[in-house]
Amino acid sequence: MKKNFTKLYRNLLVFVCMVTGLTASANEYYWVGGTGNWSDFANHWATSSGGNAFYLQIPQSVDNVHFDANSFLSSGKTITVDVATVSVNTMDWTGVTNTPSFVCSNTMNISGSLVFVSAMNVNFGGSVNFTSVSLGQTISTFGKSISSVSFTGVGGGWVLQSAFVG
Protein backbone atom coordinates (compact mmCIF):
# COMPACT_ATOMS: atom_id res chain seq x y z
CA MET A 1 0.00 0.00 0.00
CA LYS A 2 2.78 2.44 0.91
CA LYS A 3 4.51 1.77 -2.42
CA ASN A 4 1.29 2.54 -4.35
CA PHE A 5 0.71 5.72 -2.32
CA THR A 6 4.29 6.88 -2.99
CA LYS A 7 3.90 6.20 -6.71
CA LEU A 8 0.56 8.03 -6.77
CA TYR A 9 2.00 10.97 -4.85
CA ARG A 10 5.01 11.17 -7.19
CA ASN A 11 2.78 11.05 -10.30
CA LEU A 12 0.50 13.72 -8.85
CA LEU A 13 3.49 15.91 -8.07
CA VAL A 14 4.85 15.50 -11.61
CA PHE A 15 1.41 16.36 -13.03
CA VAL A 16 1.09 19.50 -10.89
CA CYS A 17 4.58 20.62 -11.90
CA MET A 18 3.76 20.09 -15.57
CA VAL A 19 0.50 22.02 -15.38
CA THR A 20 1.93 24.95 -13.43
CA GLY A 21 4.97 25.03 -15.69
CA LEU A 22 2.75 25.35 -18.74
CA THR A 23 0.58 28.07 -17.25
CA ALA A 24 2.10 31.43 -18.05
CA SER A 25 1.05 34.49 -16.16
CA ALA A 26 1.01 37.98 -17.58
CA ASN A 27 3.41 40.60 -16.35
CA GLU A 28 2.79 44.33 -16.62
CA TYR A 29 5.70 46.03 -18.42
CA TYR A 30 6.06 49.82 -18.26
CA TRP A 31 8.29 51.79 -20.61
CA VAL A 32 10.50 54.34 -18.82
CA GLY A 33 13.51 56.44 -19.76
CA GLY A 34 12.39 58.06 -23.01
CA THR A 35 14.18 57.22 -26.25
CA GLY A 36 15.41 53.67 -26.72
CA ASN A 37 15.29 50.31 -28.43
CA TRP A 38 12.61 47.73 -27.64
CA SER A 39 15.32 45.18 -26.81
CA ASP A 40 16.93 47.33 -24.08
CA PHE A 41 14.97 45.75 -21.24
CA ALA A 42 17.53 46.63 -18.57
CA ASN A 43 16.96 50.38 -19.05
CA HIS A 44 13.41 50.70 -20.32
CA TRP A 45 11.07 47.85 -19.28
CA ALA A 46 10.21 48.59 -15.65
CA THR A 47 7.99 46.57 -13.35
CA SER A 48 5.93 49.67 -12.45
CA SER A 49 5.03 53.04 -13.93
CA GLY A 50 8.03 55.32 -13.48
CA GLY A 51 9.81 52.54 -11.62
CA ASN A 52 13.50 51.68 -11.47
CA ALA A 53 13.22 47.89 -11.07
CA PHE A 54 13.61 46.30 -14.49
CA TYR A 55 12.69 43.00 -16.11
CA LEU A 56 15.36 40.55 -17.21
CA GLN A 57 13.90 40.14 -20.71
CA ILE A 58 11.70 41.93 -23.22
CA PRO A 59 7.92 41.49 -22.95
CA GLN A 60 6.58 38.11 -24.05
CA SER A 61 3.32 37.05 -25.70
CA VAL A 62 1.37 36.90 -22.41
CA ASP A 63 2.59 40.27 -21.14
CA ASN A 64 0.89 43.67 -21.24
CA VAL A 65 2.97 46.70 -22.21
CA HIS A 66 2.14 50.22 -21.06
CA PHE A 67 3.32 53.64 -22.14
CA ASP A 68 2.10 56.42 -19.85
CA ALA A 69 2.92 59.83 -18.36
CA ASN A 70 6.10 58.39 -16.81
CA SER A 71 7.43 56.98 -20.08
CA PHE A 72 8.55 60.20 -21.80
CA LEU A 73 9.41 63.13 -19.56
CA SER A 74 10.17 65.43 -22.51
CA SER A 75 9.22 65.68 -26.18
CA GLY A 76 11.06 64.28 -29.18
CA LYS A 77 11.50 60.77 -27.78
CA THR A 78 11.32 57.62 -29.91
CA ILE A 79 10.90 53.89 -29.31
CA THR A 80 12.42 51.78 -32.06
CA VAL A 81 11.46 48.12 -32.40
CA ASP A 82 14.80 46.46 -33.10
CA VAL A 83 13.79 42.80 -32.83
CA ALA A 84 12.40 40.75 -35.75
CA THR A 85 9.14 39.79 -34.06
CA VAL A 86 7.44 41.35 -31.05
CA SER A 87 4.73 39.32 -29.31
CA VAL A 88 2.66 40.86 -26.52
CA ASN A 89 -0.79 40.48 -25.07
CA THR A 90 -1.89 44.12 -24.94
CA MET A 91 -0.12 47.33 -25.98
CA ASP A 92 -1.61 50.41 -24.31
CA TRP A 93 -0.47 54.02 -24.79
CA THR A 94 -3.23 55.54 -22.62
CA GLY A 95 -1.97 58.51 -20.62
CA VAL A 96 1.25 58.99 -22.57
CA THR A 97 2.46 62.61 -22.78
CA ASN A 98 4.98 64.64 -24.78
CA THR A 99 3.99 63.20 -28.19
CA PRO A 100 6.44 60.28 -28.48
CA SER A 101 7.18 58.36 -31.67
CA PHE A 102 6.83 54.61 -32.16
CA VAL A 103 8.88 53.15 -35.03
CA CYS A 104 8.39 49.55 -36.13
CA SER A 105 9.29 48.00 -39.46
CA ASN A 106 9.04 44.45 -38.16
CA THR A 107 6.28 42.01 -37.20
CA MET A 108 4.13 42.54 -34.13
CA ASN A 109 1.82 39.84 -32.75
CA ILE A 110 -0.86 41.13 -30.38
CA SER A 111 -3.06 38.60 -28.63
CA GLY A 112 -5.09 41.19 -26.73
CA SER A 113 -5.87 44.86 -27.39
CA LEU A 114 -4.03 47.73 -29.07
CA VAL A 115 -4.56 51.30 -27.89
CA PHE A 116 -2.70 54.21 -29.48
CA VAL A 117 -3.46 57.86 -28.60
CA SER A 118 -3.85 60.92 -30.79
CA ALA A 119 -0.83 62.64 -29.20
CA MET A 120 1.79 60.27 -30.61
CA ASN A 121 3.55 59.57 -33.89
CA VAL A 122 3.51 56.10 -35.43
CA ASN A 123 5.84 54.95 -38.18
CA PHE A 124 4.64 51.40 -38.70
CA GLY A 125 6.08 49.83 -41.83
CA GLY A 126 5.79 46.30 -40.48
CA SER A 127 2.79 44.09 -39.96
CA VAL A 128 0.45 43.58 -37.03
CA ASN A 129 -1.09 40.17 -36.47
CA PHE A 130 -4.02 40.14 -34.06
CA THR A 131 -4.08 36.62 -32.62
CA SER A 132 -6.66 36.64 -29.83
CA VAL A 133 -8.78 33.54 -29.25
CA SER A 134 -11.27 35.39 -27.05
CA LEU A 135 -13.93 38.04 -27.63
CA GLY A 136 -13.87 41.61 -26.36
CA GLN A 137 -10.47 42.88 -27.48
CA THR A 138 -10.28 46.53 -28.55
CA ILE A 139 -8.33 48.34 -31.24
CA SER A 140 -7.92 52.11 -31.05
CA THR A 141 -5.55 53.47 -33.70
CA PHE A 142 -6.64 57.13 -33.53
CA GLY A 143 -5.96 57.40 -37.26
CA LYS A 144 -2.41 56.08 -37.02
CA SER A 145 -1.33 54.15 -40.11
CA ILE A 146 -0.46 50.45 -40.00
CA SER A 147 0.69 49.08 -43.35
CA SER A 148 -0.34 45.45 -42.92
CA VAL A 149 -2.94 43.96 -40.54
CA SER A 150 -4.21 40.40 -40.14
CA PHE A 151 -6.68 38.74 -37.80
CA THR A 152 -5.74 35.12 -37.21
CA GLY A 153 -7.14 34.32 -33.79
CA VAL A 154 -9.68 31.52 -34.06
CA GLY A 155 -12.66 32.56 -31.93
CA GLY A 156 -11.19 36.01 -31.33
CA GLY A 157 -13.26 39.17 -31.50
CA TRP A 158 -12.19 42.79 -31.70
CA VAL A 159 -14.06 46.06 -31.30
CA LEU A 160 -12.65 48.71 -33.64
CA GLN A 161 -12.85 52.00 -31.77
CA SER A 162 -11.34 54.15 -34.48
CA ALA A 163 -10.76 53.84 -38.22
CA PHE A 164 -7.85 51.86 -39.64
CA VAL A 165 -5.57 53.81 -41.95
CA GLY A 166 -3.40 51.82 -44.33
Side-chain angles (χ1 to χ4, degrees):
M1 177 74 175
K2 183 177 180 181
K3 185 176 180 180
N4 287 340
F5 179 75
T6 302
K7 185 176 179 182
L8 175 66
Y9 178 74
R10 182 182 53 203
N11 289 341
L12 180 60
L13 182 61
V14 168
F15 175 75
V16 168
C17 289
M18 285 175 44
V19 169
T20 58
L22 294 175
T23 304
S25 61
N27 289 306
E28 304 298 322
Y29 279 69
Y30 294 86
W31 184 267
V32 298
T35 293
N37 290 325
W38 186 275
S39 65
D40 188 5
F41 56 85
N43 293 300
H44 292 289
W45 289 118
T47 60
S48 63
S49 176
N52 59 5
F54 296 94
Y55 284 102
L56 300 176
Q57 64 181 9
I58 62 172
Q60 302 298 303
S61 62
V62 296
D63 299 323
N64 299 314
V65 297
H66 304 276
F67 304 89
D68 62 16
N70 292 313
S71 297
F72 308 96
L73 302 181
S74 61
S75 62
K77 305 302 180 185
T78 301
I79 295 175
T80 302
V81 174
D82 64 336
V83 295
T85 302
V86 168
S87 296
V88 298
N89 183 45
T90 292
M91 176 182 282
D92 187 353
W93 291 76
T94 302
V96 76
T97 58
N98 295 311
T99 317
S101 295
F102 180 67
V103 177
C104 181
S105 58
N106 304 327
T107 300
M108 180 163 277
N109 298 315
I110 300 176
S111 58
S113 297
L114 171 65
V115 180
F116 287 148
V117 295
S118 58
M120 68 181 292
N121 300 305
V122 176
N123 182 349
F124 213 117
S127 62
V128 177
N129 304 312
F130 290 98
T131 62
S132 180
V133 294
S134 60
L135 299 173
Q137 307 305 328
T138 60
I139 300 172
S140 299
T141 62
F142 285 89
K144 308 305 178 198
S145 178
I146 300 173
S147 61
S148 175
V149 177
S150 68
F151 295 88
T152 59
V154 176
W158 296 266
V159 176
L160 188 58
Q161 297 182 326
S162 58
F164 267 119
V165 177

